[in-house]
Amino acid sequence: MSEAVQEVEGYLAALRNMSHEPQNSMPDVVIWMISGEDRIAYCRIPANELLYSSNPEYAGKNCGKLQTLLLKYPGFKAKKDNKYEIPAMLRIKLWLGLEKDEMEWHRMQTEGELAVFAETYENQATILGNWVTRGPTMTRPKWSDNTGKMKLPKDKFAPPPGWKWLGDWYVSPELSLLFEKDSGHKTFLEDVFECHSRIPGMAWGPSSSRPYTDIKGDESVAKDQFPLPEGWKWDDTWEVDLNRACDEDGWEYAVEATLGGYGAVEKTYHLCRRKRWVRSRTMVMDVKQQKKKEKQKEAAAEGWEYAPLFNMQFHAKERKMDLVRRRRWHRKMVAEVPGASCFFNVQTDGKDDDDDKYAAAMTAPRMFLTFKKPNKYQLRAYVYQARDLMAADKSGLSDPYARVCFHTQSQVTEKLKKTLCPTWDQTLLFDEVEIHGDPNDLQRQPPKIVIEIFDHDQFGENEFLGRVSAEPIVKLDPSDPRVPALQWYEIKRWNSYAGELLASFELYADTQDLPFYPPKRGELYIVPSGIRPVMQRTAIEVLSWGMRNMKKYQLASVTSPCVEFEIGGHMLKTKVIKDTKKSPNYDEPLLFFDVLLPKEELYMPPMNIKVRDHRQFGRKPAVGHCVLKSLEEFRVNPLAIEGATDDSQKPQPPTTEVQIEPAAADAGPPGEHVIDMPATDGATKKEDEESVNLLIDAPQEPVLGSAPEGTPAAPAVPPADGTPVPAVAQVEDTLMTEMDWWSKYYASTGDLEKCKQYVEKGYETIQVYDKELENVNPDHNGFNDFCSSFELNRGKDSDDEESDVVGELKGTFRVYPLPGDPNIPLPDKVLVNLPPSTPEPCIIRVYVIKAMDLQPGDPSGLADPFLSIRLGKAKIDTDDNYVPNSINPVFGNMFELEETLPLYKDLTIKVKDYDLFTSNDTIGETVIDLENRLLTKHRATCGLAQTYCTSGPNQWRDCQTPKEILEQQCLRKGLEPPTYYGNNGVKVGTRVFNLGDFEKNAVLRSDLGPPEERLALHVVNTMDLVPEHIETRPLYNTLQPGIEQGRIQLWVDIFPKSLGPPGLPVDISPRQPKKFVLRCIIWNTVDVVLDEESFTGEQMSDIYVKGWLSGIDDKQRTDIHYRSLDGDGNFNWRMVFPFEYMPAEQKMVVRKKEHFFSLDKTEERLPAKLVIQIWDNDKFSADDFLGVLELDLNNMPKPVKRSGSCKLSQLPTMDNPGGIKLVSLFEQKRFKGFWPCYNETPEGKRELTGKVEMELEVVTEEEAELRPAAKAQDEPNMNPHLDPPKRPETSFLWFMSPWKTFKFIIWRRYKWYFFGLLLFILIVLLVVLFLYSFPGASMDKIFSSI
């Protein structure tokens, strides 16, 4: 039901947010109360609430409806000056609409007569006792508006078009003149001041000018001659008012009476003094109507208001200091044309200088809703009680009374002394309440009732404690059967919670058939029986366990406190603690109430808790208090209430002989045996959770080593192929089989990549909670099952009104009904078998694992967190071992402290941010109540493991063995001690458990303990006890209360020294990486794409290989194989990469600074990934990328022995990540072969761009020292020895070897061209020689023949 209510409230809040218009197109309507030119109070109303629409669904909710508005003071000055009072309360109708819809407003006025009046004020001043219209004090025109700024002569008013005058001008006094100062009061306090004067150096004597005055200093009659108004009676005689700033005789002194400035201390220069006499009177007969009529007649004749000056407050009675006066004149107008505007012009004659200023002035008429006669009502206010009021006195209490204000009347309840939860049980009757208007409208929208709570003080003004408003049930017919049920109203003080008031109200139409008056208690009416709560006999068992964290009171420590418990007018008190520094618990903590309390929880009075400290000389100051508004959470069902004397209903003792039979196949779940036991009352009767006779549920298919929900657990049964499982698991002594506590942690959180070996072996996991341990199981009730912590407050301080927490009370309650017949014996007490209350020395171990999502403390968005542990006087800081540059630090710290519980019970764990030059800032903190964990029945001291192990990561650490724990639980539950049958069976209560049922098909390991201990642990785990766990606690900071600053994972072990020494602590130190060296030998490259073309037109590449470990800034490269014409490259080059590696997590640890100015290195955990790239070298441009190979050293593809078999299918892809068998270099140690390199096309596909032959070897740092090897081919060149690569003669740099360039580039490619050129040259030479020699030879031949 509560969840459904919360969900509905969430929907309601969402609808309210959506219904609110964030950008209103119209400004709000503001009502101001103005006095002179000062704005005294206001009320702001959203325009959409008043806007008119012809469609009722679109109209404002308060458009044209009668409503009650409470004005308030503007700004924050009211709160600063402690102005608690309401300036005014308006009963008003508001309508906002278009001018064309004005007639709709008039149609809404179905009650009374809406009249329109012209208004002006007549002003006069006095000169020598004569009232005139001119003079130095006449600062206003003779006729003006109410502010005196506008001339409004009567004869200059002109009716607006469509209107006419109805009657002549007449005096209309202000409404405030029709009421006396005691109007609306049933009781009134009269006061008069007795005045004395003296001549300097002479004695005091009665003042000759004014022996008696009022508060204003005006002359008054003597107190013995003070008139008693008709219809009133004196309550007592005249008394001197000492509750003010005066001396012990009531005198206050001044130099001159007319100047004021009275003081309480007499000085020699004081010439005047006065004493205030007070006397209260009570109304006995209602003569208001007669007085009202007389006043109206008198006021109608004159109607003057007087004031010293026009800008000061006016009053009805003339005083000696008054120099001006005014009175109001009205003249009624009626409309001749419906809908005509009622604004009129003021005609001026133009004689005065200000005529031009006022010629065009517009004035608005006054509208009044007049009624022939009011309706009379009677209000009955049933004020029953209040709770959780504010402490107004330094004692931590108040003297509260309530003042109920309704319409023009108010009454107060009686004053109760020294309580924060007063029960007035009083009915206040408001007779002859006159309210105008239709009673049916009043029933639909009743006026508000304002209830104010005050603290009565003997000296000074009563202090305001809060205010609440309510609406009555209106009964126009006295026979209305509705009953005004009492309900709680929230009290507000300056918009803050200040308590609750239980009351109800009903408003009767004042007829002759009113119900009878309620019964009286003395002179006061009480709440009638039909409305007051129904009472029943109730038992309250009180456990006052002890006091905690008490702060000093009046500079002295609270060492001897006692506690007073009060409820329903009954009070019980504990004994006094002798010395809280030695033992803060009570020796006799149990108290018992047998009282009459309301049957309904709604009306249950609060439990008032008051703590007193016993000091020297009999002083017993109240040092703290607490108010419990409800005891519903402590209600229980008693073991026996009715029929306790019937022998047949009494529990029978169990039979001592028990026959155990073998368990049948269908006898129940595994582990449960059928046992013949005599029937007991517990088998047929539902018992309360506090009963000591509790049975233990049998295990439901227990599995050894089961993992928490959501975590895949390794199988603990033999393999399906029948392979035998050895009795003792052999732990491999290799690098990858190391298991620690962190393996258990990661297996529990589901991070299986970091704990593969642990999961494969089927070891147990631990419960990891995402919240505080006390909030994990709602049935554990925050470990408050034994006792709860109640915060104690103190009254207001002189500097601050807010109350602070000054300590805690450890205790609890049990509430249940008792038989109405006092002759029936009381049922057995619920709070029994209490643990010893003596302090217990304990060893506390705090295991802090890590923090998550911390609030950054540095400008970089990170923090340098460290831990600070405080318990009592012990404090441990780890600022020397802070975690740099992290908001998710892994601490892995264990803190061991020794303290005595409950002397120091609050363990405070802080996470701070380390700063080098300034003080360390607190990021957040969490507080753990160790006492609750020690006392709870759920045994939250040390979590129970799933198995009992004597070694390994699950080694037993508790100070009690499982057999001892089982015996202790049986004793606590009132059962017989467990009976063991050999090593494999145990009988607990009425059930028998077998070890085989728990460890069915389980793997037996060498770290498991004895069988009987394992069996006892399995049985204990079936009980509702806290398991082995890790809790996650939020961190909060006092500078940002309520805002989570991060979370922290931890657990706390508590070992009482009386139970023996605890086991060895768990090593949760963070995993440290080991140093490894990766040796990568690049032998050759094959089939590398030829990216360049020589100037001779050949395809070639200048190949080199680059490699590095991803995340480490250590990139290494081979030399260059120049002019590879077939894509082959020969290197014989060794790359050496030292790195830190965490085998258990299969991560590489990289530490480096974020930037140059960083003080610390930031740690990262990255996968060990080797990146190999093939590049083409260019001398005059950027190198060209040819291909890449990325190998995860933990999951890498195997190489192939031949380059022809090396293909892209050798590598895993995103589409088929599991299609390739992957191996780990850390397991194989060494690989050698060919891997493909690839490049991605613009379409995103892989393209084979080369093959690299390399050898990978990973060695530890120790192995690297034993088998050294240097980079490249440097010394020591060994393991293995690398010879220089045998590259072809064509591999060279062309401009460094010109002869080789000619030989292998030019000659090889162009030699035939050279031969052809040479032959051509020879032929040309022959032709040239032939041509050169042919003419000569020809001539010689010719001439020789001649």
Side-chain angles (χ1 to χ4, degrees):
M1 178 61 71
S2 60
E3 294 179 358
V5 171
Q6 292 178 358
E7 186 174 0
V8 171
E9 290 178 350
Y11 288 135
L12 179 60
L15 290 175
R16 286 177 176 173
N17 292 335
M18 289 188 295
S19 63
H20 178 69
E21 176 62 40
Q23 295 181 348
N24 290 321
S25 58
M26 295 185 63
D28 293 344
V29 176
V30 182
I31 300 176
W32 284 100
M33 184 174 72
I34 300 176
S35 176
E37 297 184 359
D38 298 330
R39 297 177 181 264
I40 305 300
Y42 77 101
C43 180
R44 192 185 191 102
I45 308 168
N48 62 293
E49 295 183 3
L50 307 176
L51 195 60
Y52 170 78
S53 175
S54 57
N55 189 339
E57 296 181 356
Y58 300 157
K61 62 180 181 179
N62 293 323
C63 178
K65 297 180 180 179
L66 193 63
Q67 57 179 317
T68 303
L69 300 180
L70 301 180
L71 304 188
K72 55 184 179 181
Y73 292 104
F76 299 98
K77 188 176 181 181
K79 186 175 182 180
K80 183 179 179 181
D81 298 341
N82 198 23
K83 289 186 177 182
Y84 64 86
E85 64 272 4
I86 299 176
M89 182 171 67
L90 302 180
R91 188 74 173 157
I92 191 172
K93 280 186 179 182
L94 295 173
W95 184 90
L96 177 63
L98 301 177
E99 184 179 359
K100 66 178 182 177
D101 297 328
E102 183 181 1
M103 293 305 300
E104 299 296 333
W105 157 251
H106 294 282
R107 293 191 186 98
M108 291 182 181
Q109 312 312 318
T110 58
E111 48 182 326
E113 180 186 0
L114 183 62
V116 182
F117 295 87
E119 180 182 273
T120 185
Y121 282 82
E122 181 182 3
N123 305 310
Q124 292 184 356
T126 180
I127 297 179
L128 300 177
N130 299 320
W131 292 99
V132 296
T133 57
R134 294 184 178 274
T137 59
M138 190 65 180
T139 58
R140 291 187 177 185
K142 179 180 179 182
W143 299 93
S144 69
D145 63 346
N146 60 338
T147 63
K149 296 181 179 180
M150 183 182 295
K151 296 180 180 179
L152 294 178
K154 291 194 298 182
D155 55 349
K156 300 301 181 180
F157 276 88
W163 292 78
K164 68 176 182 178
W165 297 115
L166 182 64
D168 201 357
W169 290 91
Y170 65 94
V171 176
S172 177
E174 293 280 356
L175 297 179
S176 58
L177 300 180
L178 305 179
F179 297 95
E180 290 287 350
K181 58 183 180 180
D182 58 359
S183 298
H185 293 271
K186 296 290 184 180
T187 60
F188 191 78
L189 186 68
E190 290 284 5
D191 62 341
V192 65
F193 287 84
E194 179 183 358
C195 300
H196 283 189
S197 62
R198 67 178 178 182
I199 300 174
M202 304 297 290
W204 291 103
S207 175
S208 58
S209 59
R210 289 174 292 179
Y212 286 91
T213 64
D214 58 9
I215 185 67
K216 300 288 187 180
D218 298 327
E219 185 175 1
S220 177
V221 297
K223 60 182 178 63
D224 297 333
Q225 303 174 359
F226 207 90
L228 179 65
E230 186 179 358
W232 295 75
K233 70 171 184 178
W234 293 114
D235 294 334
D236 47 23
T237 59
W238 289 95
E239 296 178 352
V240 178
D241 182 15
L242 300 178
N243 188 18
R244 54 202 302 269
C246 59
D247 60 12
E248 61 274 10
D249 296 326
W251 294 103
E252 52 182 354
Y253 304 88
V255 177
E256 173 58 39
T258 58
L259 299 178
Y262 284 93
V265 181
E266 179 182 3
K267 303 294 183 180
T268 56
Y269 53 80
H270 285 156
L271 302 179
C272 300
R273 69 176 184 178
R274 68 178 183 178
K275 178 191 298 183
R276 185 182 184 222
W277 293 86
V278 295
R279 190 177 188 183
S280 62
R281 54 185 169 93
T282 304
M283 181 184 294
V284 294
M285 184 177 62
D286 188 11
V287 293
K288 291 189 297 182
Q289 296 297 328
Q290 181 179 357
K291 293 171 60 179
K292 184 177 179 179
K293 293 180 180 179
E294 294 177 356
K295 279 186 171 292
Q296 288 177 342
K297 293 180 181 179
E298 296 175 359
E302 296 290 335
W304 291 104
E305 303 175 70
Y306 301 88
L309 295 173
F310 279 114
N311 58 354
M312 301 179 69
Q313 185 177 2
F314 286 87
H315 43 268
K317 184 178 179 181
E318 184 181 359
R319 300 170 183 170
K320 290 186 177 181
M321 298 293 295
D322 294 335
L323 299 178
V324 297
R325 68 177 183 179
R326 72 173 186 180
R327 60 180 174 181
R328 185 174 65 176
W329 291 79
H330 275 171
R331 190 175 186 183
K332 189 175 181 180
M333 296 189 303
V334 294
E336 294 180 327
V337 179
S341 175
C342 59
F343 291 86
F344 48 82
N345 291 321
V346 178
Q347 299 177 355
T348 58
D349 51 11
K351 296 181 179 179
D352 297 332
D353 296 337
D354 296 336
D355 287 348
D356 296 338
K357 181 177 179 180
Y358 298 110
M362 298 289 292
T363 182
R366 295 291 185 265
M367 297 184 183
F368 291 92
L369 192 62
T370 58
F371 298 86
K372 295 182 179 179
K373 64 176 182 178
N375 299 314
K376 295 184 178 180
Y377 298 89
Q378 183 192 67
L379 175 69
R380 298 189 179 187
Y382 307 110
V383 183
Y384 191 72
Q385 67 179 14
R387 65 186 181 190
D388 202 16
L389 296 181
M390 189 188 72
D393 300 334
K394 291 188 176 181
S395 63
L397 301 173
S398 298
D399 303 325
Y401 70 92
R403 181 173 70 186
V404 181
C405 305
F406 179 70
H407 207 55
T408 60
Q409 301 185 24
S410 66
Q411 296 188 41
V412 296
T413 63
E414 62 177 335
K415 301 176 180 64
L416 301 182
K417 300 294 184 181
K418 299 185 182 303
T419 180
L420 298 180
C421 303
T423 302
W424 291 292
D425 189 13
Q426 189 171 345
T427 299
L428 301 178
L429 301 178
F430 292 78
D431 297 320
E432 298 290 334
V433 180
E434 296 182 353
I435 303 178
H436 298 81
D438 187 3
N440 294 322
D441 290 344
L442 183 73
Q443 188 175 23
R444 287 189 295 267
Q445 294 176 318
K448 286 185 179 180
I449 303 170
V450 179
I451 306 97
E452 296 177 327
I453 312 298
F454 292 89
D455 170 57
H456 177 72
D457 292 326
Q458 293 292 337
F459 302 97
E461 186 179 0
N462 296 336
E463 185 167 355
F464 174 67
L465 300 182
R467 176 185 296 112
V468 64
S469 60
E471 292 183 354
I473 295 178
V474 180
K475 295 183 177 181
L476 302 181
D477 185 1
S479 61
D480 192 335
R482 291 180 299 168
V483 177
L486 295 173
Q487 56 181 315
W488 290 102
Y489 295 93
E490 184 177 352
I491 302 173
K492 292 284 189 177
R493 185 176 187 268
W494 308 124
N495 295 326
S496 300
Y497 174 82
E500 292 178 298
L501 175 70
L502 183 62
S504 64
F505 309 89
E506 54 183 348
L507 184 64
Y508 287 98
D510 196 351
T511 61
Q512 300 297 328
D513 300 329
L514 288 175
F516 294 108
Y517 282 178
K520 280 189 172 184
R521 181 183 67 246
E523 296 295 328
L524 302 177
Y525 292 103
I526 64 175
V527 178
S529 58
I531 300 175
R532 63 188 304 109
V534 179
M535 314 298 282
Q536 74 172 0
R537 189 182 178 198
T538 306
I540 302 178
E541 294 184 30
V542 181
L543 173 62
S544 180
W545 188 246
M547 308 303 302
R548 305 290 184 264
N549 303 329
M550 293 300 297
K551 294 183 180 180
K552 292 183 178 181
Y553 179 74
Q554 295 179 350
L555 304 180
S557 300
V558 179
T559 58
S560 301
C562 73
V563 186
E564 297 176 355
F565 297 90
E566 186 271 330
I567 186 171
H570 300 265
M571 187 182 73
L572 293 177
K573 183 168 62 175
T574 64
K575 291 188 176 181
V576 180
I577 298 178
K578 295 182 180 180
D579 189 356
T580 56
K581 296 181 179 179
K582 296 181 179 180
S583 177
N585 291 339
Y586 290 95
D587 296 333
E588 298 180 9
L590 293 177
L591 301 173
F592 184 77
F593 280 95
D594 184 355
V595 294
L596 289 175
L597 295 178
K599 189 174 183 180
E600 298 184 32
E601 180 63 27
L602 177 65
Y603 304 136
M604 179 70 73
M607 173 67 75
N608 300 311
I609 303 173
K610 186 189 302 182
V611 180
R612 294 187 179 274
D613 187 29
H614 290 67
R615 300 187 173 181
Q616 295 179 350
F617 310 109
R619 296 179 59 242
K620 300 178 183 179
V623 296
H625 72 274
C626 177
V627 178
L628 300 181
K629 296 192 293 185
S630 175
L631 298 177
E632 177 65 22
E633 60 177 308
F634 303 107
R635 283 193 177 272
V636 296
N637 295 323
L639 298 180
I641 296 180
E642 298 178 358
T645 58
D646 187 1
D647 295 338
S648 63
Q649 299 294 331
K650 291 183 179 180
Q652 301 294 330
T655 306
T656 57
E657 297 182 0
V658 179
Q659 181 66 32
I660 303 177
E661 299 180 357
D666 56 351
E672 182 177 341
H673 284 251
V674 178
I675 303 175
D676 293 334
M677 296 293 292
T680 61
D681 182 60
T684 58
K685 186 173 184 178
K686 183 179 179 181
E687 298 181 352
D688 187 75
E689 63 176 358
E690 300 295 334
S691 174
V692 297
N693 294 322
L694 299 178
L695 297 180
I696 307 173
D697 295 333
Q700 301 295 327
E701 300 180 0
V703 178
L704 183 63
S706 59
E709 182 180 357
T711 302
V717 297
D721 57 1
T723 304
V725 178
V728 178
Q730 300 295 330
V731 180
E732 300 178 5
D733 187 15
T734 61
L735 179 66
M736 297 305 298
T737 57
E738 293 185 0
M739 289 181 294
D740 54 6
W741 180 88
W742 286 94
S743 300
K744 182 178 182 180
Y745 171 76
Y746 291 125
S748 304
T749 57
D751 196 352
L752 304 183
E753 293 294 330
K754 301 179 181 180
C755 56
K756 290 182 178 179
Q757 199 70 334
Y758 188 92
V759 175
E760 291 174 359
K761 292 187 175 298
Y763 282 3
E764 294 72 32
T765 57
I766 188 173
Q767 294 284 354
V768 180
Y769 299 125
D770 60 352
K771 59 182 68 175
E772 302 96 321
L773 179 63
E774 54 268 23
N775 296 331
V776 169
N777 193 338
D779 296 334
H780 291 178
N781 192 24
F783 298 143
N784 291 324
D785 51 283
F786 178 75
C787 60
S788 303
S789 297
F790 304 106
E791 292 183 346
L792 301 174
N793 298 323
R794 195 174 290 163
K796 67 174 184 179
D797 300 329
S798 57
D799 298 331
D800 188 6
E801 291 187 357
E802 298 295 333
S803 298
D804 296 326
V805 177
V806 297
E808 295 179 6
L809 168 66
K810 281 284 187 177
T812 188
F813 304 88
R814 294 296 181 267
V815 183
Y816 50 88
L818 290 177
D821 188 356
N823 297 323
I824 298 179
L826 298 179
D828 294 336
K829 299 292 181 60
V830 176
L831 296 174
V832 293
N833 297 331
L834 301 180
S837 61
T838 56
E840 178 72 35
C842 297
I843 297 176
I844 295 95
R845 290 175 180 171
V846 184
Y847 297 86
V848 182
I849 302 169
K850 65 179 183 179
M852 299 169 289
D853 302 329
L854 295 180
Q855 186 75 11
D858 298 334
S860 62
L862 300 174
D864 304 320
F866 69 92
L867 296 173
S868 176
I869 310 296
R870 180 186 292 274
L871 179 61
K873 298 180 180 179
K875 182 179 180 181
I876 303 176
D877 286 335
T878 62
D879 50 348
D880 294 336
N881 297 319
Y882 66 90
V883 181
N885 302 327
S886 177
I887 58 175
N888 296 286
V890 176
F891 295 112
N893 293 333
M894 191 279 293
F895 306 92
E896 184 169 316
L897 307 98
E898 294 187 13
E899 283 294 350
T900 301
L901 298 181
L903 292 179
Y904 305 104
K905 69 177 185 64
D906 291 330
L907 173 65
T908 303
I909 303 173
K910 293 184 178 181
V911 179
K912 294 186 174 181
D913 177 42
Y914 178 81
D915 292 321
L916 183 62
F917 301 106
T918 59
S919 60
N920 300 326
D921 302 324
T922 298
I923 298 176
E925 66 178 37
T926 183
V927 180
I928 301 175
D929 192 329
L930 299 180
E931 184 182 11
N932 282 355
R933 301 194 176 194
L934 180 64
L935 297 176
T936 179
K937 66 181 180 182
H938 304 289
R939 198 178 186 274
T941 52
C942 183
L944 293 174
Q946 297 180 18
T947 56
Y948 182 73
C949 300
T950 57
S951 62
N954 299 314
Q955 184 177 359
W956 187 259
R957 69 178 187 273
D958 206 328
C959 58
Q960 291 179 290
T961 62
K963 294 177 63 176
E964 294 174 345
I965 297 174
L966 179 58
E967 184 176 353
Q968 183 185 42
Q969 293 299 315
C970 291
L971 178 62
R972 186 186 62 81
K973 297 176 180 295
L975 302 176
E976 295 293 333
T979 303
Y980 291 87
Y981 303 101
N983 293 333
N984 298 321
V986 62
K987 171 177 171 290
V988 179
T990 60
R991 299 179 184 270
V992 173
F993 300 90
N994 291 328
L995 183 60
D997 294 328
F998 291 97
E999 299 183 358
K1000 187 180 302 183
N1001 298 328
V1003 179
L1004 298 181
R1005 306 191 306 265
S1006 60
D1007 59 343
L1008 296 179
E1012 64 273 10
E1013 295 289 357
R1014 303 205 308 271
L1015 176 59
L1017 179 58
H1018 289 311
V1019 175
V1020 171
N1021 275 324
T1022 62
M1023 304 177 184
D1024 189 16
L1025 302 181
V1026 175
E1028 188 179 14
H1029 63 275
I1030 295 173
E1031 58 178 309
T1032 305
R1033 304 187 66 87
L1035 299 173
Y1036 294 99
N1037 196 322
T1038 55
L1039 299 179
Q1040 294 179 320
I1043 301 177
E1044 187 176 301
Q1045 305 296 312
R1047 293 171 295 161
I1048 186 170
Q1049 284 189 342
L1050 56 89
W1051 85 85
V1052 180
D1053 289 341
I1054 306 172
F1055 304 112
K1057 290 186 176 181
S1058 60
L1059 299 180
L1064 295 176
V1066 181
D1067 184 10
I1068 64 169
S1069 300
R1071 287 172 168 173
Q1072 298 299 325
K1074 294 186 177 182
K1075 293 184 178 181
F1076 289 85
V1077 176
L1078 175 65
R1079 296 174 178 177
C1080 175
I1081 301 176
I1082 307 297
W1083 294 104
N1084 302 296
T1085 60
V1086 180
D1087 298 337
V1088 177
V1089 295
L1090 303 179
D1091 189 64
E1092 299 290 341
E1093 183 177 351
S1094 66
F1095 64 89
T1096 60
E1098 292 179 313
Q1099 294 294 323
M1100 55 165 283
S1101 287
D1102 299 333
I1103 302 173
Y1104 70 90
V1105 180
K1106 183 189 298 184
W1108 69 91
L1109 284 176
S1110 180
I1112 298 179
D1113 297 333
D1114 181 18
K1115 295 184 178 181
Q1116 303 179 30
R1117 55 181 289 179
T1118 65
D1119 59 348
I1120 302 173
H1121 185 116
Y1122 289 104
R1123 289 188 47 78
S1124 176
L1125 303 177
D1126 54 1
D1128 295 344
N1130 308 112
F1131 298 98
N1132 294 358
W1133 193 275
R1134 181 187 292 112
M1135 299 180 183
V1136 181
F1137 301 102
F1139 65 100
E1140 294 182 345
Y1141 182 73
M1142 201 169 291
E1145 299 184 12
Q1146 299 180 356
K1147 294 292 184 182
M1148 182 177 62
V1149 178
V1150 180
R1151 297 185 180 94
K1152 58 183 178 181
K1153 291 186 177 182
E1154 293 286 342
H1155 48 78
F1156 178 78
F1157 297 100
S1158 298
L1159 298 177
D1160 303 289
K1161 293 182 178 181
T1162 303
E1163 179 179 304
E1164 291 183 285
R1165 297 187 180 184
L1166 305 172
K1169 183 179 294 185
L1170 174 65
V1171 181
I1172 299 295
Q1173 292 181 347
I1174 302 177
W1175 290 78
D1176 173 60
N1177 180 67
D1178 289 327
K1179 292 299 182 181
F1180 303 103
S1181 62
D1183 295 350
D1184 299 323
F1185 173 75
L1186 300 181
V1188 65
L1189 171 66
E1190 295 184 2
L1191 297 177
D1192 188 343
L1193 302 185
N1194 285 298
N1195 297 282
M1196 58 185 295
K1198 285 185 177 182
V1200 295
K1201 295 183 178 180
R1202 296 180 301 173
S1203 62
S1205 302
C1206 184
K1207 300 179 181 179
L1208 282 178
S1209 59
Q1210 190 177 342
L1211 302 178
T1213 61
M1214 295 296 294
D1215 299 334
N1216 188 19
I1220 305 299
K1221 183 178 180 180
L1222 304 178
V1223 293
S1224 174
L1225 179 62
F1226 293 94
E1227 295 179 358
Q1228 301 295 330
K1229 297 296 186 180
R1230 180 174 174 272
F1231 283 118
K1232 182 179 181 181
F1234 288 89
W1235 282 274
C1237 295
Y1238 63 90
N1239 196 357
E1240 290 187 354
T1241 63
E1243 293 78 15
K1245 296 182 179 181
R1246 290 182 178 182
E1247 179 183 7
L1248 182 64
T1249 57
K1251 304 169 186 178
V1252 59
E1253 181 187 8
M1254 62 181 176
E1255 180 180 343
L1256 298 178
E1257 183 183 15
V1258 61
V1259 295
T1260 62
E1261 187 179 34
E1262 294 79 9
E1263 294 174 344
E1265 293 178 355
L1266 294 176
R1267 300 171 51 240
K1271 296 180 180 179
Q1273 298 168 2
D1274 300 337
E1275 296 296 332
N1277 185 1
M1278 55 193 334
N1279 299 313
H1281 178 77
L1282 301 179
D1283 296 324
K1286 295 180 179 181
R1287 294 172 180 167
E1289 293 182 350
T1290 57
S1291 177
F1292 59 90
L1293 186 59
W1294 63 272
F1295 62 84
M1296 296 294 294
S1297 302
W1299 172 244
K1300 286 186 177 182
T1301 302
F1302 176 78
K1303 178 181 179 179
F1304 294 104
I1305 297 177
I1306 300 177
W1307 178 254
R1308 175 175 296 181
R1309 185 175 182 83
Y1310 298 103
K1311 61 182 178 180
W1312 297 112
Y1313 291 96
F1314 280 106
F1315 288 144
L1317 179 62
L1318 182 60
L1319 181 60
F1320 176 76
I1321 293 175
L1322 290 177
I1323 294 173
V1324 171
L1325 288 176
L1326 290 176
V1327 172
V1328 171
L1329 290 176
F1330 174 76
L1331 295 177
Y1332 177 75
S1333 61
F1334 179 75
S1338 299
M1339 292 300 297
D1340 291 340
K1341 187 72 176 172
I1342 296 172
F1343 287 108
S1344 64
S1345 61
I1346 298 176

